[in-house]
Amino acid sequence: MQKETKIFRYILAFWLNFPLQAAPVNDLGIFKKVPQQWAQLLHFSENSPSSLPESKTGPFYLSPGAIPQDEWQAFGEALARSPQATRCRFPARWWQYALQTGGQPSLAALADCADLQAWLRPLPNRHIALVFAGAYMGNPSSLFGHTFLVVSNRRPFGAAATVIDFAGEVDADVGALSYISRGIGGGFRGHYTLQPFSAKWFDYAVREGRPLEIYPLAWRSSEIDLLWLHLWELRQADFDYAFFRQNCSYRILALLAAIRPELEFRPDFPRVTLPGDTVHWLANRNQLSEPEAVPALSQLAERRAPSDHIDLRLARHYNFRPGRVRPGRDRQDKEADWRELAQTVIAQPATTGPHHNVLAAHGPSRWVIGMTGGQTRTTGLAVGWRAGYHDGLDPPEGFLAGTAIELLGVKLSVQDKRVALDALTLLHLQSSPSNSLAEDRSAWELGWSRERRLQADRSRRLQSALRLGYGLSRQTSSWGWRAAVALEARDRPYLSLRGVAGLDLEMAWHHAAFNSLLRLRHDLLGDRQSRLEWGNSWAMNRDNALRLELYGESNGAAYTPYWRAGWAHYYR
């Protein structure tokens, strides 16, 4: 019996892709003869006993098998055959090899590497920071935000800083379905890139309205120099890119761990790597300093006075839409004006006042335990769980107003000794632009769920619904509204579908202590059902809140009221 139990445990562990006991690098047999940092410099998956290389085999690896022990031996042989060529091709690897074999590496020893020196000459090396960009609902790869590094010779970080980014290469003609499926499955190639910080600020804070948080890292100049040497050799690397694990944040952590071995992160991110979670992970290890905030232009317009010497007239004229051409101005002139404005603002990043703060954001997963009842239902226990990420009633701190991203949510109720599944949300996405001066206030919604449309009838089966909505919205930091036309495909017996057209009206109020949401959904064509919802949440702290939801449903008659109330706990 013990033998069968042991076999079952190993099968279960393999199925979950999670080790029964996290093993440090040197406990794995193949790592016993090589230093830990060597395996990290070569980007091996250290939380797996097989230690698969994360880069494609090719010029980045020297041995046919591409395992750390063979790479150590192959590098030593290459260094013996061609010391100057090998040292210039893999300067960070040479640095680590020299340290482990009793040598004293220095930058002076790389002075004969002409191409490397020309590449290094304009790069800064005094200050480095991790940057978190807020969520952008217009791209599936940016639904949860984005992280990258920025390096500068001065503080605060300005337009002259250099960005270290990781991104997937996407063909211009790739279709939407192919983009999503390949992004989920890791079907894109990814590479590290360098670009000016002003261009990144323009793309994110101006084009996409995403605030930036800059978290300085307490690194020495010598560590930044080693980081540049490693990036030089990473130009030969070819990685897979996927939305949920080996994404931008995963590769940025891998880059940091290659220089600081104590930042080995892979055992803590076995399946999903969310950008916000990586910021929390580094903060919990005392790696981050107080952030500098670079707000989106909409946020600047809301709270900055003209005396701040930042010209926002261009923002008002162009309404945050660089692609929209004003009469008498061509696109090239307009882009130049936008870039000039971006450089003006980024030269004076806001470091005080309220700003988007991912470290103050609640955890993505949530439990809700409370009570439920209504006019035709007895009071009973209510339990809810959600895998991720954020909805309109969750505490707003650290999230963009008016947005919702929900993945795999369940609502259960226990009444009269019966357990019922009230709702199963597979996916719910809602985007509402958060700039108050924009002419384009379009908002959209996408949802796929199974729920009881009439809560009074507990014997009624769950009904599937695929929902698409499009309308107008306006969002500020304290309040917002949304009006949209929605189309639903609802299932009927024998797997047939019927279409329903409806109207959505929504008002929201945002505050650090509470969040309120009022929503009316009415079917204009089809079932003629309507639903009125009001909810409020009170934040107790970052990971705990009280929620109250009142809702009524009508099928052509009077509204029948129901309620759910409980304690919500958020976790990572």
Side-chain angles (χ1 to χ4, degrees):
M1 183 63 181
Q2 292 180 351
K3 182 177 180 181
E4 288 78 0
T5 302
K6 185 175 181 181
I7 293 175
F8 175 77
R9 289 179 61 209
Y10 279 99
I11 293 176
L12 181 61
F14 176 78
W15 178 257
L16 294 175
N17 191 27
F18 193 81
L20 291 176
Q21 182 178 1
V25 176
N26 290 332
D27 286 346
L28 303 176
I30 57 174
F31 290 111
K32 286 183 177 178
K33 296 183 180 179
V34 298
Q36 175 178 346
Q37 192 170 2
W38 179 261
Q40 292 169 318
L41 275 172
L42 273 67
H43 292 259
F44 282 90
S45 178
E46 296 178 1
N47 64 330
S48 170
S50 60
S51 187
L52 297 175
E54 293 178 341
S55 173
K56 303 290 186 183
T57 56
F60 187 66
Y61 296 111
L62 296 176
S63 64
I67 62 174
Q69 193 171 7
D70 290 350
E71 283 294 313
W72 179 269
Q73 181 177 351
F75 184 81
E77 294 172 353
L79 195 61
R81 290 193 306 270
S82 305
Q84 195 264 353
T86 304
R87 185 173 64 249
C88 295
R89 180 183 173 188
F90 298 109
R93 213 174 296 187
W94 161 78
W95 192 288
Q96 181 60 218
Y97 189 88
L99 287 176
Q100 297 297 326
T101 55
Q104 295 181 347
S106 65
L107 292 177
L110 299 172
D112 57 345
C113 303
D115 292 340
L116 172 62
Q117 293 300 324
W119 185 79
L120 288 175
R121 194 169 296 116
L123 297 177
N125 70 341
R126 295 189 61 186
H127 305 287
I128 184 171
L130 177 78
V131 182
F132 176 82
Y136 177 56
M137 303 296 290
N139 190 328
S141 65
S142 300
L143 290 179
F144 305 101
H146 180 62
T147 57
F148 56 91
L149 297 175
V150 61
V151 187
S152 177
N153 281 332
R154 64 178 63 182
R155 295 278 304 274
F157 293 86
T162 300
V163 165
I164 302 171
D165 196 14
F166 181 86
E169 295 182 357
V170 182
D171 297 331
D173 58 349
V174 65
L177 292 179
S178 176
Y179 176 74
I180 294 175
S181 61
R182 291 173 63 185
I184 294 175
F188 292 118
R189 298 170 59 189
H191 297 93
Y192 291 96
T193 61
L194 305 181
Q195 59 182 296
F197 193 22
S198 58
K200 204 69 169 176
W201 190 96
F202 176 76
D203 290 338
Y204 284 169
V206 177
R207 283 186 182 276
E208 300 174 356
R210 304 165 67 178
L212 304 179
E213 301 173 46
I214 307 173
Y215 293 92
L217 300 167
W219 279 35
R220 301 182 299 273
S221 294
S222 58
E223 292 177 300
I224 300 176
D225 289 335
L226 186 57
L227 178 68
W228 289 127
L229 296 181
H230 185 44
L231 282 166
W232 167 264
E233 57 192 25
L234 280 173
R235 300 183 311 160
Q236 308 168 70
D238 188 6
F239 298 95
D240 288 333
Y241 174 84
F243 291 161
F244 293 113
R245 187 164 188 262
Q246 294 199 24
N247 51 23
C248 60
S249 298
Y250 184 97
R251 296 258 62 94
I252 291 300
L253 285 183
L255 192 60
L256 298 179
I259 309 303
R260 286 193 170 183
E262 66 271 19
L263 296 181
E264 174 52 41
F265 66 98
R266 293 172 180 87
D268 295 326
F269 295 92
R271 288 178 291 271
V272 177
T273 312
L274 296 181
D277 288 351
T278 64
V279 179
H280 279 267
W281 189 87
L282 288 170
N284 292 337
R285 284 152 183 80
N286 299 318
Q287 297 293 314
L288 306 180
S289 303
E290 287 297 318
E292 299 173 7
V294 178
L297 284 184
S298 58
Q299 296 173 316
L300 286 173
E302 282 186 19
R303 70 172 186 260
R304 289 207 176 196
S307 58
D308 285 335
H309 305 294
I310 295 179
D311 185 5
L312 293 175
R313 289 176 296 174
L314 286 174
R316 293 187 175 91
H317 289 324
Y318 298 149
N319 294 294
F320 306 99
R321 294 298 300 272
R324 179 174 297 174
V325 180
R326 296 184 65 209
R329 297 293 303 275
D330 59 26
R331 183 183 299 272
Q332 184 175 1
D333 290 341
K334 185 177 177 182
E335 295 276 350
D337 285 343
W338 271 102
R339 293 189 182 278
E340 181 181 355
L341 175 64
Q343 293 180 5
T344 300
V345 179
I346 201 174
Q348 303 172 5
T351 58
T352 60
H355 62 270
H356 186 90
N357 187 356
V358 67
L359 292 180
H362 62 74
S365 300
R366 183 190 71 197
W367 277 103
V368 178
I369 301 176
M371 306 296 290
T372 184
Q375 180 175 323
T376 60
R377 294 167 58 180
T378 58
T379 301
L381 179 66
V383 179
W385 178 81
R386 183 192 65 197
Y389 180 63
H390 179 74
D391 67 19
L393 276 184
D394 290 331
E397 183 68 27
F399 293 89
L400 295 181
T403 61
I405 305 173
E406 292 188 274
L407 305 173
L408 192 58
V410 178
K411 288 184 177 180
L412 302 173
S413 62
V414 182
Q415 294 171 315
D416 301 326
K417 299 181 180 180
R418 294 174 55 190
V419 179
L421 175 62
D422 291 333
L424 172 63
T425 301
L426 301 178
L427 173 68
H428 177 228
L429 304 177
Q430 179 177 305
S431 171
S432 298
S434 58
N435 51 61
S436 58
L437 299 179
E439 286 182 354
D440 181 13
R441 295 172 178 164
S442 59
W444 57 265
E445 181 182 14
L446 170 63
W448 184 17
S449 63
R450 289 178 60 83
E451 60 182 1
R452 302 180 190 276
R453 294 291 298 180
L454 296 177
Q455 301 288 338
D457 185 3
R458 289 181 59 78
S459 64
R460 185 179 178 90
R461 65 183 179 85
L462 292 174
Q463 185 181 71
S464 297
L466 175 62
R467 184 178 186 85
L468 300 173
Y470 186 82
L472 300 176
S473 172
R474 177 174 179 177
Q475 298 289 333
T476 71
S477 58
S478 58
W479 64 276
W481 61 264
R482 185 175 66 92
V485 175
L487 300 177
E488 275 194 7
R490 299 175 185 166
D491 64 352
R492 303 179 69 178
Y494 312 108
L495 300 180
S496 61
L497 297 174
R498 66 180 181 276
V500 178
L503 177 66
D504 280 8
L505 300 175
E506 181 177 297
M507 285 291 298
W509 295 267
H510 315 295
H511 190 271
F514 69 88
N515 215 23
S516 294
L517 185 66
L518 178 64
R519 179 187 296 128
L520 172 64
R521 290 185 170 181
H522 180 68
D523 296 340
L524 300 175
L525 300 174
D527 290 352
R528 296 288 182 176
Q529 296 179 355
S530 62
R531 181 183 179 101
L532 180 64
E533 304 176 9
W534 176 82
N536 202 90
S537 67
W538 295 268
M540 303 165 63
N541 51 44
R542 188 186 68 181
D543 292 326
N544 294 279
L546 298 177
R547 291 171 66 100
L548 173 63
E549 300 173 62
L550 305 178
Y551 51 93
E553 291 189 339
S554 171
N555 195 17
Y559 278 90
T560 304
Y562 299 93
W563 58 270
R564 295 178 74 100
W567 163 62
H569 174 67
Y570 305 88
Y571 64 96
R572 299 182 182 277

